[in-house]
Amino acid sequence: MLLKSMKLTNFRQFKETQSIEFSTDSEKNVTIIMGENGSGKTTLAQAFTWCLYGDTDFDDKVVLNKAVAREMGPNNEATVRVELAVLHADFDYTMIREQKYTTDSVGELKRPNNPVFKMAYKGKDGQQEFVRDNETELRMKEILPKELSRYFFFDGERIGNMSKEIRKGKSQEFAEAVKGLLGLSAFTAALDHLNGRSQNTVIKSYANQYDSKSDSTIAQYRAEIDKYDARIDAIEDRLSEIDDERVLAEEKAEEFEIKIQENKDSEKLAQERSRLNAKLNGLKTSKIKNTSGLIDVFNRRGASWMATKMINDALEELASAEKLDTGIPDIHARTIEYLIKRKTCICGAPIEFGNPAYVELNKVLDYIPPKSIGTLIGQFVRECEMKNRAAADTFDIMSTQYSELRNFDTDYADIVSDIETINKKLEGMLNVGELQKKYTFYNGEAKKLIREKENLIEEKGGLKTKRERYETQINELVLKDDNNKRIACFQAYATYMYQYLSQIYKEKETETREQLEKTVNEIFKNIYNGGFSLAIDEKYNIQIMVDDFEGYSGDVETSTAQSISVIFAFIAGVIKMARENNNEENSMLTTEAYPLVMDAPLSAFDKTRIQTVCDVLPKVAEQVIIFIKDTDGEIAEEHMGKKVGTRYKFEKHNEFETELVGR
């Protein structure tokens, strides 16, 4: 998407109609609008979101120019209008939002009408066509959803808040936005369509089509599955809430712990508690690892190991029975039965009831097809030997891991006891008692939430097991009815597609996230030339890691400039990848390049950082529009000069009137 131009009519400081053209040149893709604080930079930035979404961040939601409002007089009206021309997916769009303001008989402004949003585009014939009123919001969502817009239209303060969010793991919206911008949302939409929460998903729709007339049990099982699904959805919602509540509780606990550590008398105890907490976390990680390992070994080898005694007994019994090779090659039971019925052997000897030939032939029936006991026993012996080999060292492996788990309980209890002792000592200290009580409260809340999460995860696992059992039983029942069998076939195809797409999505998401981390680090190291690197986890939260301090690992606190550098690098990295995906013909991830519109983005940086930011942004973004104060603007002009295609400045006439002038 490229922003081509904007017209403003009576929008806050911009009286009457004023226009601005943005540079769309691929080589000179930067537009700089300079002005001092209070001249209208933020207003112009907010004009984008008002035009596109009908909203602003201003406390005063009246967007009519104050001078125009003062001049209206009684029983009059004035219109606020913002018109934005954009190029998106090779279509020229014009977005228009208007709002009428009227005055009463004494000249006071009435409550304004709701804004009206219109959208037009040029068709293939070059003629302008309007999007139908009931489709404009949907079309706008296709072009740039509001929840994603904050990552392209932002100011210095907002970018600082974003940095805190993605550092603290609180911005699920950010993670979803990143996936959307990088083209992954098409996968998630397809997966939700196949097997999301709604009863209208493909797989659930097929499940609801089963005809229970042939067997009423199907409806009963389906009702149980629906009940489990509802509870599982509720658990997942609560798990998301728990994560947010836990982060908040841990932040508050950390806040009070820091205050406690700042107290000179409690410093050593607080440090010891931090050390013990770190050790405690290490034990928890170790327990999770050993538990997972133990369960994995048990799942893979447990059945074979527990069956070892029975297998060996069976093999011993079979060995003594001498029944392994009594079959006759190429002879079938029907052959023997025919000879007995004919009463004459192939060799001509008589076969009479009870004579030796009759007795021997009947014995042979036990060891030739279709009974083939010898063959079956041979196969059974080979399978038993394979099971024994698989179970050979299972007991030793499980014993080692179980021993480590038993040690965990003792070590964990000792550390918890030490921490509780420290907590009691801190509670009794002068000027620290209240802080310690608050720390203990929030720390306890965080632990309660963790326990609740563990219990819910366990409950969820049990519900899924029960649900799968009912699904299996339904699958067995539907095969008895031809119509249900056909529906089951369709459902199986849909399930296969869901599983196949899930695997592809997982691979693509991991590949995309790893590439994003690499791209973000390249940009971050250009913007902030220090000994740090960025790590991005599965939830797209960021950690700042120290590179040049031997033996240290883990997230570190950062300055304001470092934090803003982080979010700059992150957003620039996302935009760069979206742009590259858009230019890649064979990419599975379909994306659109987007502009960056920034209000005072450089104010937190020193001159060196401003230089590097000015160098990076035009390279990674399709289009850059910067509203900047004069002092920073001169530096930006110096370093972006070759990339600047359009220049404007704000000429402030008074508090209510600003004019946009080309430079």
Side-chain angles (χ1 to χ4, degrees):
M1 183 176 83
L2 288 176
L3 303 171
K4 299 175 68 176
S5 65
M6 178 186 282
K7 289 183 180 179
L8 305 100
T9 302
N10 298 329
F11 186 80
R12 290 181 68 91
Q13 287 106 310
F14 300 100
K15 187 180 179 182
E16 298 178 346
T17 298
Q18 301 191 44
S19 301
I20 181 171
E21 302 285 334
F22 305 113
S23 178
T24 57
D25 190 308
S26 59
E27 294 299 322
K28 295 186 175 183
N29 60 342
V30 178
T31 299
I32 291 182
I33 307 104
M34 291 171 55
E36 286 303 311
N37 292 338
S39 61
K41 298 191 304 298
T42 300
T43 295
L44 189 57
Q46 290 290 309
F48 287 96
T49 53
W50 188 81
C51 177
L52 298 177
Y53 311 108
D55 192 21
T56 69
D57 290 338
F58 297 123
D59 293 333
D60 182 3
K61 296 302 180 183
V62 176
V63 295
L64 178 65
N65 178 268
K66 300 295 184 185
V68 171
R70 184 178 57 198
E71 297 166 0
M72 284 174 66
N75 300 317
N76 207 341
E77 73 173 26
T79 300
V80 177
R81 175 187 171 103
V82 176
E83 178 180 320
L84 187 62
V86 306
L87 176 65
H88 180 79
D90 297 326
F91 280 87
D92 283 311
Y93 285 91
T94 301
M95 286 84 164
I96 303 168
R97 193 172 296 272
E98 290 184 340
Q99 188 171 29
K100 290 190 180 297
Y101 286 82
T102 58
T103 55
D104 59 20
S105 58
V106 296
E108 295 293 330
L109 280 177
K110 296 180 181 179
R111 184 175 181 177
N113 297 330
N114 290 328
V116 176
F117 183 56
K118 298 178 181 179
M119 183 184 296
Y121 65 94
K122 286 187 179 179
K124 294 182 179 180
D125 57 2
Q127 297 298 312
Q128 189 178 59
E129 301 178 27
F130 278 89
V131 178
R132 288 188 293 184
D133 291 344
N134 62 345
E135 295 179 358
T136 54
E137 299 297 336
L138 181 61
R139 184 71 65 89
M140 188 64 245
K141 197 165 187 177
E142 292 175 355
I143 295 173
L144 181 60
K146 183 178 180 181
E147 57 269 22
L148 301 190
S149 66
R150 64 192 295 250
Y151 306 106
F152 303 106
F153 304 100
F154 55 80
D155 54 33
E157 180 180 352
R158 183 184 292 175
I159 203 173
N161 292 335
M162 287 182 189
S163 176
K164 293 177 184 177
E165 287 178 354
I166 63 173
R167 292 285 307 285
K168 295 294 185 181
K170 294 192 297 184
S171 183
Q172 179 63 25
E173 179 190 278
F174 194 93
E176 295 305 317
V178 171
K179 292 177 182 179
L181 295 172
L182 298 183
L184 292 168
S185 57
F187 277 101
T188 57
L191 292 172
D192 285 341
H193 175 67
L194 286 169
N195 194 25
R197 289 191 176 188
S198 169
Q199 288 296 318
N200 296 324
T201 61
V202 175
I203 292 175
K204 290 180 181 176
S205 294
Y206 282 132
N208 292 329
Q209 291 177 29
Y210 287 135
D211 185 1
S212 58
K213 293 179 181 178
S214 60
D215 194 329
S216 61
T217 310
I218 293 177
Q220 296 173 14
Y221 289 167
R222 189 73 251 165
E224 289 297 315
I225 289 174
D226 290 343
K227 183 176 70 174
Y228 293 144
D229 283 341
R231 178 55 185 160
I232 289 170
D233 288 345
I235 288 174
E236 289 177 347
D237 290 339
R238 178 57 187 153
L239 288 173
S240 297
E241 294 173 356
I242 286 174
D243 286 337
D244 292 338
E245 292 173 11
R246 180 182 57 79
V247 168
L248 180 60
E250 288 176 348
E251 282 183 355
K252 296 296 290 184
E254 182 182 355
E255 175 188 332
F256 287 112
E257 185 172 23
I258 290 171
K259 290 180 180 179
I260 291 169
Q261 289 177 340
E262 289 172 350
N263 184 283
K264 185 177 181 180
D265 294 334
S266 63
E267 183 177 357
K268 291 183 180 179
L269 286 173
Q271 288 177 350
E272 176 64 7
R273 183 173 62 191
S274 296
R275 186 188 69 80
L276 291 172
N277 276 323
K279 190 173 181 181
L280 211 59
N281 290 333
L283 284 174
K284 291 177 183 176
T285 302
S286 177
K287 180 182 179 181
I288 292 171
K289 180 180 178 181
N290 285 320
T291 301
S292 299
L294 185 62
I295 293 173
D296 180 60
V297 171
F298 185 79
N299 286 340
R300 289 187 295 105
R301 302 184 175 190
S304 298
W305 174 61
M306 289 188 287
T308 301
K309 176 66 166 60
M310 292 184 289
I311 289 173
N312 290 334
D313 289 348
L315 290 175
E316 184 178 346
E317 180 67 22
L318 289 172
S320 64
E322 298 181 352
K323 295 181 179 180
L324 296 181
D325 56 356
T326 54
I328 302 173
D330 301 325
I331 294 297
H332 194 277
R334 291 194 300 272
T335 306
I336 303 301
E337 290 169 352
Y338 172 78
L339 294 175
I340 292 173
K341 184 176 180 181
R342 196 177 71 166
K343 296 185 179 182
T344 303
C345 182
I346 295 174
C347 65
I351 303 172
E352 300 291 343
F353 180 80
N355 73 356
Y358 179 88
V359 172
E360 290 302 320
L361 285 174
N362 274 280
K363 287 181 182 180
V364 170
L365 285 174
D366 288 334
Y367 310 113
I368 59 177
K371 293 185 179 180
S372 301
I373 289 180
T375 303
L376 293 175
I377 291 175
Q379 181 180 351
F380 176 74
V381 169
R382 288 191 296 274
E383 290 178 355
C384 287
E385 290 171 348
M386 290 174 62
K387 294 286 186 182
N388 278 342
R389 286 196 296 272
D393 57 349
T394 301
F395 180 78
D396 292 336
I397 295 173
M398 294 179 65
S399 296
T400 301
Q401 291 175 330
Y402 182 69
S403 176
E404 291 177 1
L405 288 173
R406 288 291 301 271
N407 292 336
F408 165 86
D409 293 332
T410 303
D411 295 339
Y412 189 91
D414 290 342
I415 294 175
V416 169
S417 177
D418 291 341
I419 291 174
E420 290 175 351
T421 301
I422 291 174
N423 287 340
K424 289 178 182 178
K425 289 180 180 179
L426 286 172
E427 285 180 359
M429 287 184 178
L430 187 63
N431 298 327
V432 181
E434 287 301 317
L435 291 175
Q436 180 58 40
K437 288 179 182 177
K438 290 179 180 179
Y439 167 82
T440 302
F441 170 77
Y442 285 112
N443 193 43
E445 288 296 304
K447 289 180 179 178
K448 281 198 300 186
L449 289 167
I450 291 172
R451 287 194 296 271
E452 183 184 355
K453 181 177 181 178
E454 290 172 349
N455 291 336
L456 287 174
I457 290 173
E458 183 179 351
E459 181 187 354
K460 179 181 172 183
L463 291 172
K464 283 189 172 182
T465 299
K466 293 178 181 178
R467 187 192 185 286
E468 289 170 2
R469 188 180 302 129
Y470 278 119
E471 284 280 11
T472 300
Q473 292 172 335
I474 287 178
N475 290 338
E476 292 174 355
L477 292 173
V478 299
L479 295 178
K480 299 177 181 179
D481 178 87
D482 289 339
N483 184 52
N484 285 342
K485 189 186 297 183
R486 181 177 60 85
I487 295 171
C489 181
F490 294 154
Q491 187 182 20
Y493 279 121
T495 301
Y496 172 79
M497 286 302 302
Y498 174 76
Q499 293 169 345
Y500 179 71
L501 278 178
S502 295
Q503 182 61 34
I504 294 178
Y505 170 75
K506 184 177 180 181
E507 293 170 359
K508 282 293 177 185
E509 192 276 332
T510 300
E511 177 186 325
T512 300
R513 182 161 34 84
E514 290 173 352
Q515 181 59 43
L516 177 62
E517 182 175 282
K518 180 181 177 182
T519 304
V520 168
N521 271 295
E522 290 172 355
I523 296 171
F524 179 68
K525 289 183 182 295
N526 283 331
I527 295 176
Y528 195 88
N529 187 20
F532 298 120
S533 61
L534 306 180
I536 302 175
D537 67 14
E538 291 81 359
K539 294 183 178 180
Y540 292 83
N541 302 320
I542 288 181
Q543 279 188 313
I544 299 182
M545 315 298 289
V546 177
D547 293 334
D548 55 1
F549 193 83
E550 187 176 352
Y552 182 86
S553 64
D555 197 19
V556 295
E557 289 296 324
T558 54
S559 66
T560 301
Q562 289 169 339
S563 296
I564 294 179
S565 297
V566 169
I567 195 68
F568 246 115
F570 200 101
I571 292 177
V574 171
I575 289 175
K576 181 180 180 182
M577 284 188 62
R579 185 180 184 183
E580 290 171 351
N581 287 345
N582 186 52
N583 294 331
E584 190 174 337
E585 293 183 2
N586 297 323
S587 175
M588 291 182 66
L589 306 178
T590 303
T591 59
E592 177 78 14
Y594 287 97
L596 271 177
V597 181
M598 299 173 288
D599 177 16
L602 307 177
S603 56
F605 295 115
D606 56 31
K607 290 184 178 181
T608 303
R609 299 285 179 267
I610 290 176
Q611 177 180 349
T612 54
V613 170
C614 290
D615 180 60
V616 168
L617 291 182
K619 294 178 181 178
V620 300
E622 188 86 359
Q623 181 182 41
V624 180
I625 300 171
I626 297 179
F627 311 107
I628 197 166
K629 63 183 181 181
D630 292 344
T631 52
D632 291 341
E634 292 170 0
I635 302 173
E637 285 264 19
E638 178 184 348
H639 300 297
M640 280 187 182
K642 295 181 179 179
K643 287 289 186 178
V644 178
T646 307
R647 296 171 172 84
Y648 284 84
K649 66 177 180 178
F650 297 98
E651 284 195 358
K652 182 178 178 181
H653 299 311
N654 55 56
E655 290 301 319
F656 301 139
E657 295 182 52
T658 293
E659 185 179 357
L660 275 168
V661 180
R663 294 188 290 126

PDB file of all heavy atoms in Angstrom, residues 177-197:
ATOM      1  N   ALA A 177      -0.675  -9.506  14.878  1.00  0.00           N
ATOM      2  CA  ALA A 177      -0.408  -8.520  13.838  1.00  0.00           C
ATOM      3  C   ALA A 177       0.790  -8.933  13.000  1.00  0.00           C
ATOM      4  O   ALA A 177       0.768  -8.846  11.772  1.00  0.00           O
ATOM      5  CB  ALA A 177      -0.165  -7.146  14.470  1.00  0.00           C
ATOM      6  N   VAL A 178       1.834  -9.381  13.665  1.00  0.00           N
ATOM      7  CA  VAL A 178       3.042  -9.807  12.950  1.00  0.00           C
ATOM      8  C   VAL A 178       2.714 -10.963  12.008  1.00  0.00           C
ATOM      9  O   VAL A 178       3.128 -10.978  10.847  1.00  0.00           O
ATOM     10  CB  VAL A 178       4.152 -10.216  13.942  1.00  0.00           C
ATOM     11  CG1 VAL A 178       5.320 -10.863  13.209  1.00  0.00           C
ATOM     12  CG2 VAL A 178       4.637  -9.007  14.726  1.00  0.00           C
ATOM     13  N   LYS A 179       1.951 -11.940  12.498  1.00  0.00           N
ATOM     14  CA  LYS A 179       1.590 -13.081  11.656  1.00  0.00           C
ATOM     15  C   LYS A 179       0.779 -12.620  10.446  1.00  0.00           C
ATOM     16  O   LYS A 179       0.949 -13.133   9.341  1.00  0.00           O
ATOM     17  CB  LYS A 179       0.792 -14.101  12.465  1.00  0.00           C
ATOM     18  CG  LYS A 179       1.612 -14.798  13.545  1.00  0.00           C
ATOM     19  CD  LYS A 179       0.758 -15.749  14.357  1.00  0.00           C
ATOM     20  CE  LYS A 179       1.559 -16.402  15.471  1.00  0.00           C
ATOM     21  NZ  LYS A 179       0.726 -17.311  16.293  1.00  0.00           N
ATOM     22  N   GLY A 180      -0.116 -11.645  10.688  1.00  0.00           N
ATOM     23  CA  GLY A 180      -0.911 -11.127   9.586  1.00  0.00           C
ATOM     24  C   GLY A 180      -0.060 -10.415   8.557  1.00  0.00           C
ATOM     25  O   GLY A 180      -0.215 -10.612   7.346  1.00  0.00           O
ATOM     26  N   LEU A 181       0.875  -9.602   9.023  1.00  0.00           N
ATOM     27  CA  LEU A 181       1.718  -8.837   8.120  1.00  0.00           C
ATOM     28  C   LEU A 181       2.657  -9.730   7.328  1.00  0.00           C
ATOM     29  O   LEU A 181       3.041  -9.406   6.204  1.00  0.00           O
ATOM     30  CB  LEU A 181       2.529  -7.804   8.911  1.00  0.00           C
ATOM     31  CG  LEU A 181       1.688  -6.720   9.597  1.00  0.00           C
ATOM     32  CD1 LEU A 181       2.555  -5.884  10.509  1.00  0.00           C
ATOM     33  CD2 LEU A 181       1.027  -5.840   8.555  1.00  0.00           C
ATOM     34  N   LEU A 182       3.049 -10.847   7.905  1.00  0.00           N
ATOM     35  CA  LEU A 182       3.978 -11.745   7.223  1.00  0.00           C
ATOM     36  C   LEU A 182       3.261 -12.834   6.431  1.00  0.00           C
ATOM     37  O   LEU A 182       3.890 -13.763   5.941  1.00  0.00           O
ATOM     38  CB  LEU A 182       4.932 -12.372   8.243  1.00  0.00           C
ATOM     39  CG  LEU A 182       5.826 -11.375   8.987  1.00  0.00           C
ATOM     40  CD1 LEU A 182       6.780 -12.103   9.916  1.00  0.00           C
ATOM     41  CD2 LEU A 182       6.611 -10.506   8.026  1.00  0.00           C
ATOM     42  N   GLY A 183       1.931 -12.740   6.323  1.00  0.00           N
ATOM     43  CA  GLY A 183       1.188 -13.657   5.467  1.00  0.00           C
ATOM     44  C   GLY A 183       0.750 -14.945   6.124  1.00  0.00           C
ATOM     45  O   GLY A 183       0.184 -15.811   5.467  1.00  0.00           O
ATOM     46  N   LEU A 184       0.983 -15.087   7.448  1.00  0.00           N
ATOM     47  CA  LEU A 184       0.632 -16.342   8.121  1.00  0.00           C
ATOM     48  C   LEU A 184      -0.857 -16.420   8.465  1.00  0.00           C
ATOM     49  O   LEU A 184      -1.369 -17.501   8.732  1.00  0.00           O
ATOM     50  CB  LEU A 184       1.456 -16.490   9.403  1.00  0.00           C
ATOM     51  CG  LEU A 184       2.961 -16.707   9.195  1.00  0.00           C
ATOM     52  CD1 LEU A 184       3.702 -16.553  10.514  1.00  0.00           C
ATOM     53  CD2 LEU A 184       3.239 -18.066   8.592  1.00  0.00           C
ATOM     54  N   SER A 185      -1.543 -15.281   8.462  1.00  0.00           N
ATOM     55  CA  SER A 185      -2.956 -15.286   8.859  1.00  0.00           C
ATOM     56  C   SER A 185      -3.821 -16.070   7.884  1.00  0.00           C
ATOM     57  O   SER A 185      -4.889 -16.563   8.247  1.00  0.00           O
ATOM     58  CB  SER A 185      -3.480 -13.851   8.993  1.00  0.00           C
ATOM     59  OG  SER A 185      -3.303 -13.150   7.783  1.00  0.00           O
ATOM     60  N   ALA A 186      -3.373 -16.184   6.629  1.00  0.00           N
ATOM     61  CA  ALA A 186      -4.136 -16.990   5.668  1.00  0.00           C
ATOM     62  C   ALA A 186      -4.174 -18.447   6.105  1.00  0.00           C
ATOM     63  O   ALA A 186      -5.189 -19.138   5.974  1.00  0.00           O
ATOM     64  CB  ALA A 186      -3.508 -16.868   4.282  1.00  0.00           C
ATOM     65  N   PHE A 187      -3.048 -18.931   6.659  1.00  0.00           N
ATOM     66  CA  PHE A 187      -3.004 -20.294   7.187  1.00  0.00           C
ATOM     67  C   PHE A 187      -3.962 -20.440   8.370  1.00  0.00           C
ATOM     68  O   PHE A 187      -4.732 -21.396   8.448  1.00  0.00           O
ATOM     69  CB  PHE A 187      -1.586 -20.638   7.639  1.00  0.00           C
ATOM     70  CG  PHE A 187      -0.685 -21.100   6.525  1.00  0.00           C
ATOM     71  CD1 PHE A 187       0.224 -20.235   5.962  1.00  0.00           C
ATOM     72  CD2 PHE A 187      -0.754 -22.392   6.047  1.00  0.00           C
ATOM     73  CE1 PHE A 187       1.058 -20.650   4.940  1.00  0.00           C
ATOM     74  CE2 PHE A 187       0.073 -22.826   5.026  1.00  0.00           C
ATOM     75  CZ  PHE A 187       0.985 -21.945   4.468  1.00  0.00           C
ATOM     76  N   THR A 188      -3.879 -19.492   9.324  1.00  0.00           N
ATOM     77  CA  THR A 188      -4.719 -19.604  10.518  1.00  0.00           C
ATOM     78  C   THR A 188      -6.195 -19.509  10.162  1.00  0.00           C
ATOM     79  O   THR A 188      -7.028 -20.174  10.773  1.00  0.00           O
ATOM     80  CB  THR A 188      -4.347 -18.527  11.549  1.00  0.00           C
ATOM     81  OG1 THR A 188      -4.457 -17.221  10.956  1.00  0.00           O
ATOM     82  CG2 THR A 188      -2.924 -18.710  12.038  1.00  0.00           C
ATOM     83  N   ALA A 189      -6.518 -18.676   9.175  1.00  0.00           N
ATOM     84  CA  ALA A 189      -7.917 -18.564   8.743  1.00  0.00           C
ATOM     85  C   ALA A 189      -8.398 -19.887   8.149  1.00  0.00           C
ATOM     86  O   ALA A 189      -9.525 -20.332   8.417  1.00  0.00           O
ATOM     87  CB  ALA A 189      -8.060 -17.432   7.728  1.00  0.00           C
ATOM     88  N   ALA A 190      -7.535 -20.512   7.362  1.00  0.00           N
ATOM     89  CA  ALA A 190      -7.898 -21.809   6.767  1.00  0.00           C
ATOM     90  C   ALA A 190      -8.073 -22.874   7.844  1.00  0.00           C
ATOM     91  O   ALA A 190      -9.013 -23.678   7.802  1.00  0.00           O
ATOM     92  CB  ALA A 190      -6.832 -22.240   5.765  1.00  0.00           C
ATOM     93  N   LEU A 191      -7.176 -22.873   8.838  1.00  0.00           N
ATOM     94  CA  LEU A 191      -7.267 -23.848   9.925  1.00  0.00           C
ATOM     95  C   LEU A 191      -8.522 -23.623  10.754  1.00  0.00           C
ATOM     96  O   LEU A 191      -9.201 -24.581  11.138  1.00  0.00           O
ATOM     97  CB  LEU A 191      -6.018 -23.759  10.813  1.00  0.00           C
ATOM     98  CG  LEU A 191      -4.712 -24.229  10.156  1.00  0.00           C
ATOM     99  CD1 LEU A 191      -3.522 -23.908  11.046  1.00  0.00           C
ATOM    100  CD2 LEU A 191      -4.754 -25.718   9.861  1.00  0.00           C
ATOM    101  N   ASP A 192      -8.858 -22.360  11.029  1.00  0.00           N
ATOM    102  CA  ASP A 192     -10.086 -22.060  11.770  1.00  0.00           C
ATOM    103  C   ASP A 192     -11.312 -22.483  10.970  1.00  0.00           C
ATOM    104  O   ASP A 192     -12.300 -22.956  11.534  1.00  0.00           O
ATOM    105  CB  ASP A 192     -10.164 -20.568  12.095  1.00  0.00           C
ATOM    106  CG  ASP A 192      -9.233 -20.172  13.219  1.00  0.00           C
ATOM    107  OD1 ASP A 192      -8.806 -21.071  13.970  1.00  0.00           O
ATOM    108  OD2 ASP A 192      -8.927 -18.979  13.353  1.00  0.00           O
ATOM    109  N   HIS A 193     -11.258 -22.281   9.664  1.00  0.00           N
ATOM    110  CA  HIS A 193     -12.390 -22.669   8.819  1.00  0.00           C
ATOM    111  C   HIS A 193     -12.590 -24.185   8.843  1.00  0.00           C
ATOM    112  O   HIS A 193     -13.724 -24.674   8.885  1.00  0.00           O
ATOM    113  CB  HIS A 193     -12.145 -22.199   7.387  1.00  0.00           C
ATOM    114  CG  HIS A 193     -13.196 -22.655   6.419  1.00  0.00           C
ATOM    115  ND1 HIS A 193     -14.508 -22.213   6.471  1.00  0.00           N
ATOM    116  CD2 HIS A 193     -13.138 -23.527   5.366  1.00  0.00           C
ATOM    117  CE1 HIS A 193     -15.207 -22.799   5.511  1.00  0.00           C
ATOM    118  NE2 HIS A 193     -14.404 -23.596   4.823  1.00  0.00           N
ATOM    119  N   LEU A 194     -11.490 -24.923   8.861  1.00  0.00           N
ATOM    120  CA  LEU A 194     -11.590 -26.377   8.875  1.00  0.00           C
ATOM    121  C   LEU A 194     -11.982 -26.922  10.238  1.00  0.00           C
ATOM    122  O   LEU A 194     -12.815 -27.821  10.344  1.00  0.00           O
ATOM    123  CB  LEU A 194     -10.252 -26.992   8.452  1.00  0.00           C
ATOM    124  CG  LEU A 194      -9.911 -26.913   6.961  1.00  0.00           C
ATOM    125  CD1 LEU A 194      -8.466 -27.308   6.731  1.00  0.00           C
ATOM    126  CD2 LEU A 194     -10.840 -27.797   6.142  1.00  0.00           C
ATOM    127  N   ASN A 195     -11.379 -26.357  11.314  1.00  0.00           N
ATOM    128  CA  ASN A 195     -11.616 -26.951  12.634  1.00  0.00           C
ATOM    129  C   ASN A 195     -11.411 -25.928  13.745  1.00  0.00           C
ATOM    130  O   ASN A 195     -10.624 -26.131  14.662  1.00  0.00           O
ATOM    131  CB  ASN A 195     -10.674 -28.143  12.862  1.00  0.00           C
ATOM    132  CG  ASN A 195     -11.087 -28.992  14.040  1.00  0.00           C
ATOM    133  OD1 ASN A 195     -12.261 -29.023  14.414  1.00  0.00           O
ATOM    134  ND2 ASN A 195     -10.138 -29.669  14.644  1.00  0.00           N
ATOM    135  N   GLY A 196     -12.133 -24.817  13.675  1.00  0.00           N
ATOM    136  CA  GLY A 196     -12.059 -23.812  14.730  1.00  0.00           C
ATOM    137  C   GLY A 196     -13.089 -24.068  15.819  1.00  0.00           C
ATOM    138  O   GLY A 196     -13.624 -25.169  15.954  1.00  0.00           O
ATOM    139  N   ARG A 197     -13.377 -23.021  16.573  1.00  0.00           N
ATOM    140  CA  ARG A 197     -14.337 -23.176  17.673  1.00  0.00           C
ATOM    141  C   ARG A 197     -15.787 -23.224  17.201  1.00  0.00           C
ATOM    142  O   ARG A 197     -16.634 -23.838  17.834  1.00  0.00           O
ATOM    143  CB  ARG A 197     -14.177 -22.013  18.659  1.00  0.00           C
ATOM    144  CG  ARG A 197     -12.896 -22.075  19.477  1.00  0.00           C
ATOM    145  CD  ARG A 197     -12.970 -21.058  20.584  1.00  0.00           C
ATOM    146  NE  ARG A 197     -11.804 -21.140  21.461  1.00  0.00           N
ATOM    147  CZ  ARG A 197     -11.698 -20.463  22.596  1.00  0.00           C
ATOM    148  NH1 ARG A 197     -12.675 -19.660  22.969  1.00  0.00           N
ATOM    149  NH2 ARG A 197     -10.639 -20.583  23.348  1.00  0.00           N
TER     150      ARG A 197
END
